[in-house]
Amino acid sequence: MFLRAIARPLMAGVKQTTGIVGLDVVPNAREVLISLYSKTLKEIQAVPPDEGYRKAVESFTKHRLTVCREEEDWEAIEKRLGCGQVEELIEEARDELKLIEKMIEWDPWGVPDDYECEVIENDAPVPKHVPLHRPGPLPEEFYSTLEKLQLNSKEAPPAVTSGESKAV
Amino acid sequence: MDNQFIFKYSWETLPKKWVKKMERSEHGNRLDTNSDYLFQLLCFLKLHTYTRVQVSIDICGVDYPSRKRRFEVIYNLLSTRYNSRIRVQISADEVTRISPVVSLFPSAGRWEREVWDMFGVSSINHPDLRRISTDYGFEGHPLRKDLPLSGYVEVRYDDPEKRVVSEPIEMTQEFRYFDFASPWEQRSDG
């Protein structure tokens, strides 16, 4: 028991397995994550600054980057972010980089003048015997990103008001 | 409950050009888009960190004969990371060609073949577009509303020719249509 108490700080350094098939353990996960996030922050500069996409990506990437820089241990990173394992984070960061590259190539920014979009809020109650799909709890930084997005969009006048469609 | 947050988030982050209509309901969130932006939208949903939809559950079609663009191709997607489902819909007519999403979701190969077979909505540059559920020489697309329920041909084994032949359909009983307003027997005197 005392042996484990002494050895625990050392034991936390090595991860045996991720528990997910096909996802190997990355021993230097922290460095990989820091490099990926810094690259993401550089790449996202190519997106126009008003876009919700850019704000969202910057917000959560910065948060994750600060957490990764502060914490030395992968276990501490995982616990603080609450977003799953570091290998999953690496995968997400790589996918996000791919996505940014593709978005820059497709260039879908800007709202066309005659844009009208119908947002339907259907609150019709579902009958009780039908099983509802209840998504699980989302990570905390999702909510903080969402708040930042909504704050920013409320400052500028929104193009469409939700609940009604804007006829041209 | 969490449907709302994911809905709001996707509303804020998706480029506005791609989204024609969005619906948030307990029955399932829905996103309507244009066929030009389909591949890009699905790529975004697959790769973005907060909407990791990596599984395509189903691709199906619906035929609305009264509309000008009569078919609607519906992509049902699932995010295993966030346990959320989303439906992406596209309207198409008989000659529209949809971009295949097989490179994003490998399971989509069979679904797209089925949509082609049942409705006639084909894809550009699809790696393998063949019929999947109908018979080998079948003409027509079964799930369109203008193909009758019993079809046009029937097959039978012909003994003199020693093979299966298809002949125009012969029904011994005409099609019976039941339309009872009440489950009880109709009484004319009430």
Side-chain angles (χ1 to χ4, degrees), chain A residues 15-27 74 78 84-88:
Chain A
K15 191 177 201 173
Q16 300 291 74
T17 170
T18 55
I20 303 175
V21 176
L23 204 57
D24 299 321
V25 180
V26 177
W74 56 263
E78 281 178 14
Q85 309 202 29
V86 274
E87 284 79 13
E88 291 179 331

Side-chain angles (χ1 to χ4, degrees), chain B residues 5-169:
Chain B
F5 295 115
I6 298 177
F7 173 77
K8 273 189 224 153
Y9 180 81
S10 29
W11 169 249
E12 302 279 348
T13 30
L14 283 172
K16 296 284 183 287
K17 248 198 233 174
W18 289 351
V19 175
K20 271 204 312 204
K21 184 162 49 151
M22 284 184 83
E23 175 184 341
R24 169 197 70 83
S25 88
E26 290 296 315
H27 296 265
N29 292 344
R30 189 159 60 107
L31 247 172
D32 260 319
T33 182
N34 219 344
S35 62
D36 308 325
Y37 305 124
L38 173 71
F39 185 80
Q40 304 170 2
L41 179 63
L42 290 182
C43 199
F44 181 94
L45 286 174
K46 184 179 182 198
L47 294 178
H48 185 59
T49 318
Y50 277 135
T51 58
R52 282 179 72 79
V53 274
Q54 311 237 304
V55 183
S56 96
I57 298 285
D58 191 17
I59 302 180
C60 47
V62 192
D63 185 11
Y64 296 100
S66 51
R67 291 194 196 168
K68 198 159 167 215
R69 292 174 72 95
R70 67 192 276 211
F71 301 116
E72 237 185 64
V73 184
I74 301 186
Y75 294 76
N76 286 307
L77 304 164
L78 164 70
S79 159
T80 46
R81 170 78 178 84
Y82 298 109
N83 193 13
S84 76
R85 293 176 186 251
I86 197 163
R87 235 157 58 217
V88 179
Q89 293 180 304
I90 271 199
S91 57
D93 51 9
E94 288 99 332
V95 292
T96 322
R97 306 186 113 206
I98 306 196
S99 43
V101 293
V102 184
S103 48
L104 293 173
F105 305 110
S107 63
R110 297 216 180 173
W111 306 131
E112 301 211 331
R113 277 173 66 188
E114 170 143 8
V115 164
W116 154 244
D117 195 18
M118 295 283 128
F119 290 95
V121 183
S122 71
S123 310
I124 322 173
N125 289 333
H126 190 93
D128 184 21
L129 199 67
R130 304 173 270 163
R131 59 174 73 251
I132 191 171
S133 328
T134 48
D135 196 9
Y136 287 107
F138 194 87
E139 290 161 4
H141 297 279
L143 280 179
R144 295 188 177 187
K145 296 275 194 274
D146 40 11
L147 198 96
L149 186 62
S150 42
Y152 293 126
V153 290
E154 64 174 5
V155 291
R156 66 175 179 86
Y157 179 69
D158 192 315
D159 210 34
E161 295 193 40
K162 299 279 185 241
R163 65 177 180 91
V164 173
V165 297
S166 25
E167 293 172 343
I169 202 164

